[in-house]
Each structure stands twice: as structure tokens, then as C-alpha cells.
Amino acid sequence: MAAQWTGSANGAAIAPGTWGPMMKQVRFLPRLARLLLAALGAIVLTACGGGADAFSIGGSLRGLAAGEQVTLLDNGGDMLILVGNGAFSFATQVAYNGSYAVTVATQPAGKVCTVGGGSGAGVIANVSSVSVVCSTNTFTVGGSLSGLAAGQQVTLLDNGGDALTLTADGNFSFATPVAFNGSYAVTVSTAPTGEVCTVGSGSGSGVTANVGHVSVVCSATSFSVGGSLSGLAAGQQVTLLDNGGDALALTAGGSFNFATSVAYGSSYAVTVGTQPTGQTCTVANGSGSSVHAAVSNVTVSCTTNTYTIGGTLTGLAAGQQITLLDSGGDALTLSADGSFSFATTVAYGGSYAVTIGTQPMGQACTVSSGSGSSVSANVSGVAVSCTTNTYTIGGTLTGLAAGQQITLMDNGGDALTLAADGNFSFATRVAYGGSYAVTVGTQPAGQTCVLSNASGSGVSANVAAVQVSCVSYTVSGTLSGLAAGQQLSLLDNGGDAVILTADGSFSFPTPVAADGSYRVTVGTQPSGETCSVNNGVGYGMDANVTQVLVLCSSTGTYRVTGSV
């Protein structure tokens, strides 16, 4: 772990990277002082995390057959036995800013398992990218060594293990092959005395043939590799690697230099080992060969990650359009169903709120899963659903006689039976732009109901203007000549009897429908009298009838005489 000291000694700030040398200088202090200082160092290392205390290390395994198993180690311990392909994770987590090195402890019988992406430093998030590939097809990994001084030796590692000690220049090959489609990462474990050895072309993946181009160059002359970092967000850190190792954790912009220099005539390859949270850092001028001077032009630029906000639109009517907004702006007009994405992206950790700016004509659209915060990936789950607006068709009924009912229809169906005056509305709604045509299906008995404002098209609102007016007319008149104590029965149209016991006005209880007819007759004559009806018949009624005359007279006989 690359500890960063943030305290001070005797009031003076201690620069990053000086904690290790300070510890070396205390070897002459009394034992108690050394113990106290070591304890203080442990406190500092714990405090430097600034985030989660520990992170998991894992990845995926493939190529293992049924009944086979492979044993992995992390950092030389935390043994993990795998008996099937798929994801895996070590039981022991790695501390904030710590490192990991996954190796194969025991290979399955008849196969070789190779670890890819198995090491890293400056851990600030869970690691799930370790790849373990097992195969019966294997390939050798090797290359050439040059510049090793006489009597010296250098020890190399492949994928963190399979140590190979070389004592002279020339070609070399590791004892353990690499599985088909596996990877390799050659590093220097122990450098020769007085020399620096640098590995070139030392890593690769997707191996499908023997590897023989790894170059290890040793020299007593070496040069530093460094450059500048820009754009790193406050509170973040990025871990850089040179030639696949020599991890360097940076927490602020500015100049940097790797701790390990590269040998004269060798190469360098600066890469990003661990990206800062919510940012992506890229390297320019990061590689070179035949180094013969210090390298200081490596440029590492970090930018805050941004993410798209989008989703899916469904139900938009043909020829219509809808305007969406994100966080009150970034208007996006859509004219057809399908996927959509706003033009403006959202920065890491930001938020979004998708709303409808303008509804499509005649439709109502709603948004679901339209808001969120702490964005850390592209958003594609916003759902906008549109439905065509529908409207009620109704109006008012007046004049319906008590005990009667009328049946109305809209567009030839959707029958609606009404038994009293008042407002009404059909059950079936009409879609935006549709039409309606209200008609009378069944008239009430004895009445004629007429309609007004009964049809329309291009509907864009609820309709309540249909007027249904039911009309009927009374039949009445005057009785005269009825003797005291007598009664008379009158009929209209052969029924609707009315019994009269005295002279005066009368009216039949049942009205006659508009344009109907009436025929008043005597049902039962009074005793000793004869009654006749005048003005008792009529057709095409369009008003109340009041002129019916009923005259009664005695049934005695008389002699009529006269002279000429």
C-alpha cells in the first residue's frame, strides 16, 4: 500500500512518500520509541482510506470440466478451491488502497489454469475482473534477456508466480505454460545487484500460440519515468502502472515519477491500473523503447464520467409528437414509438428527472421510472406510455312522463335507457377526433321525444349538449246537461276512461303523443239521459285539446207541431 502521510512532525508538514524513509531512520531509537512510532504508522495507514474499509476480490472461471478443481490464492494466502465454472470471490477482503495478487496454487489434473488481470494495487472498489482460464491446450511464455552483468542473476515471475532465475543473457522460457486463450504478465521479482532490469512486451491475453517476444533488458544505468496528471477530481485517486507493475497511487494533479526506473535501452509502458471512482483517465505518450534519457512527458488526463438518460416511448398515435424534458430542460421531441435518449448527459453522481413538456394532441402520456440520483451508469429504463384521450357523450332529458322510459342510442349502439328527467351520459366514450350520433331507440308510451345537438365530429372534449325533449298533449273539454245524481263515462281512443258526475270541465288522464290523434266517445250513458260528443275527433296533434263538448239531455218523447 502506498501510504500518504497527512500529519506533521514538530509543526512541519511531512511530504507524501517520505514516511518509509523516516521509518528507516528510527532504527537507532530505543525499542519502545520504535514500537510507538510503528503503532502511529498503523493508525495513519488506517485513516488514509477515506471510503469503505475493505473490498472483495473476485472474477470468473472457465474451462474447468466436471469433476475437476483448481485452487487459487490471493496475496499468497486466503485459499479458494473452485469445482465449477462461473463467478468466484475470495473470503478475505482487501483494505482500502491495498493490493491483490491472485495465483494458482494447485492445477487440475491434465490441465493448466492461467490467471489474467490477477494483480493490482490502490484498490478503492470491489474487484470482479480477475479471469481464470483452464485448458488442456497450453503455450510457452518466454523471450530474451540482455545486459545482465557477469556473476549476477535476475529472477522473473509470470502471472505472479512460476519463478524463473536467470544467470546469463540469452533466451528463456517459463516452466509453466499458459492455457489456451489465457494471459501472461512477466515481472521482475529480484533484480541483480547494481543493475535495473526492465521487462518489455511482458503482458498479453487471448494466447493462442507460444509467446517468445518478451524482452528483459538489464543495465547499471537507468532512467526515471514520469509525467503529469490533470483533471483528477477532489477526493479521488488513480493508480498507474509501468510495464505492468510498479504501482503508483496519485491523489492530486501535478507531476509524478514511478519509484522504479527503467534500464538503459529498455522500454516503458504506462497504463492505468485502477481508475478513480466516477472518472476515466487516459494516458498519452505512455510508451517508448530504447530509453536513453529520463522520461517526463507521460500525460495522464482524467475526465468525469457522464451517462446518457433515455428509455422507451410506446402508444404515440400516428402523426402526433410529444416533447420530453430532463430536469426541466434539454427538450427532446419524439414523433414515433421506440427508444430515445436525451442529448445532454449526466455527470457521475448526478441526478435526472424526466417529465412531459408538451402532450401530444388528443393523447395523455405518463412517465414511469423517470427520476433517479447518484447516477453511475447509462440510464435506459425510463418508460413513457401514451394513450388516446376519450370523451363522454351526454346531455339532458326533459318532459318524460312519470312511469315512462326512453331508450337512446349513440352511433347505432350503446343503448341507454332513461326513466326520469335529468342529465345522462353514455357508457361508451368516444376517442379524440371521433364522432357521435344520438338517436331514439324506443319512444316512451304516449310521448314523442325529439333531439337537438344530437351529432358531431372531431370530438376533443366531453359532450354534454345533447337535448332530448319529450312532448305530449292533453285532451279535455266541457260537460253540460248531466242530471243531478247521474254519471257519465267517457273514453278516448277507446280507452282511458273518465267518469263524470257533474257538469263542468274534464280532462283525460293519459296524454296523447305529439302528432297523435284522439277520439272521444261515450262509454256509459247516464240513466234517463242521452249524451252526445261534439268536436271529439282530431289528428296530427300539436297542442292541447280543450274544445271537446259533451251535451246530455232527457230521453222523454215530445210532439212537434207547427203551421205552414
Side-chain angles (χ1 to χ4, degrees):
M1 174 174 177
Q4 297 293 326
W5 173 258
T6 57
S8 62
N10 298 324
I14 299 176
T18 60
W19 179 250
M22 286 182 62
M23 288 296 292
K24 294 178 182 178
Q25 294 172 9
V26 302
R27 60 185 180 274
F28 299 112
L29 293 176
R31 183 172 182 274
L32 178 58
R34 294 201 305 272
L35 292 174
L36 290 175
L37 193 53
L40 179 59
I43 294 173
V44 171
L45 294 178
T46 302
C48 74
D53 292 334
F55 303 98
S56 61
I57 304 298
S60 61
L61 166 68
R62 58 190 174 98
L64 197 66
E68 296 178 337
Q69 70 178 35
V70 58
T71 303
L72 304 179
L73 300 177
D74 182 22
N75 291 323
D78 194 19
M79 181 183 294
L80 176 62
I81 299 175
L82 301 178
V83 296
N85 297 319
F88 65 85
S89 183
F90 286 92
T92 302
Q93 294 185 314
V94 172
Y96 179 89
N97 238 348
S99 60
Y100 61 97
V102 179
T103 55
V104 176
T106 305
Q107 298 279 7
K111 282 188 178 181
V112 170
C113 297
T114 302
V115 179
S119 62
V123 176
I124 57 176
N126 292 333
V127 175
S128 59
S129 56
V130 179
S131 172
V132 180
V133 179
C134 301
S135 176
T136 54
N137 296 330
T138 60
F139 304 97
T140 60
V141 175
S144 62
L145 168 67
S146 63
L148 185 67
Q152 297 296 322
Q153 65 180 30
V154 60
T155 300
L156 306 179
L157 301 178
D158 183 22
N159 292 321
D162 193 21
L164 173 62
T165 300
L166 303 175
T167 58
D169 290 349
N171 295 328
F172 65 85
S173 181
F174 285 93
T176 302
V178 173
F180 176 83
N181 252 341
S183 59
Y184 61 97
V186 179
T187 56
V188 175
S189 172
T190 305
T193 303
E195 286 192 296
V196 171
C197 296
T198 303
V199 179
S201 302
S203 61
S205 59
V207 176
T208 58
N210 292 333
V211 176
H213 57 263
V214 179
S215 171
V216 181
V217 178
C218 300
S219 175
T221 303
S222 63
F223 302 99
S224 62
V225 175
S228 62
L229 168 68
S230 63
L232 186 66
Q236 297 298 325
Q237 74 173 29
V238 59
T239 301
L240 304 179
L241 303 176
D242 184 21
N243 291 321
D246 194 20
L248 174 62
L250 303 174
T251 58
S255 299
F256 66 85
N257 271 293
F258 285 93
T260 302
S261 56
V262 296
Y264 177 89
S266 66
S267 59
Y268 63 96
V270 178
T271 56
V272 177
T274 304
Q275 295 280 7
T277 302
Q279 289 193 291
T280 298
C281 300
T282 57
V283 180
N285 304 320
S287 61
S289 59
S290 300
V291 176
H292 58 275
V295 176
S296 60
N297 64 339
V298 179
T299 302
V300 181
S301 301
C302 302
T303 58
T304 299
N305 294 339
T306 60
Y307 305 98
T308 58
I309 305 298
T312 306
L313 168 66
T314 58
L316 187 66
Q320 297 298 325
Q321 68 178 31
I322 179 177
T323 300
L324 303 178
L325 302 176
D326 183 19
S327 299
D330 193 22
L332 174 63
T333 299
L334 304 174
S335 56
D337 286 352
S339 300
F340 65 86
S341 183
F342 286 93
T344 303
T345 55
V346 174
Y348 175 86
S351 61
Y352 63 97
V354 178
T355 55
I356 296 174
T358 305
Q359 293 276 11
M361 187 176 296
Q363 289 194 290
C365 301
T366 57
V367 179
S368 60
S369 302
S371 62
S373 58
S374 301
V375 176
S376 60
N378 291 334
V379 175
S380 60
V382 179
V384 181
S385 177
C386 300
T387 57
T388 300
N389 293 339
T390 59
Y391 304 99
T392 58
I393 305 298
T396 306
L397 169 65
T398 58
L400 186 67
Q404 297 299 321
Q405 67 180 29
I406 180 177
T407 299
L408 303 177
M409 307 188 79
D410 183 22
N411 293 322
D414 193 22
L416 174 63
T417 299
L418 304 175
D421 287 352
N423 297 326
F424 66 87
S425 181
F426 287 93
T428 302
R429 300 166 70 93
V430 173
Y432 174 85
S435 60
Y436 63 97
V438 180
T439 56
V440 177
T442 305
Q443 293 279 8
Q447 287 189 290
T448 298
C449 299
V450 294
L451 306 177
S452 60
N453 305 321
S455 63
S457 60
V459 176
S460 60
N462 292 334
V463 174
V466 179
Q467 296 292 326
V468 182
S469 300
C470 298
V471 181
S472 59
Y473 302 106
T474 59
V475 177
S476 62
T478 304
L479 169 65
S480 63
L482 185 65
Q486 297 299 318
Q487 67 179 26
L488 169 70
S489 171
L490 299 178
L491 301 176
D492 182 19
N493 292 319
D496 194 25
V498 61
I499 298 176
L500 305 176
T501 59
D503 289 350
S505 299
F506 67 87
S507 180
F508 287 94
T510 303
V512 176
D515 205 36
S517 61
Y518 64 96
R519 183 180 183 85
V520 179
T521 57
V522 177
T524 304
Q525 295 282 1
S527 177
E529 285 189 289
T530 299
C531 299
S532 60
V533 178
N534 295 324
N535 303 323
V537 178
Y539 305 92
M541 292 182 64
D542 58 3
N544 292 330
V545 174
T546 61
Q547 71 274 22
V548 178
L549 297 177
V550 180
L551 301 175
C552 298
S553 62
S554 172
T555 58
T557 59
Y558 302 92
R559 182 177 181 179
V560 178
T561 62
S563 62
V564 176

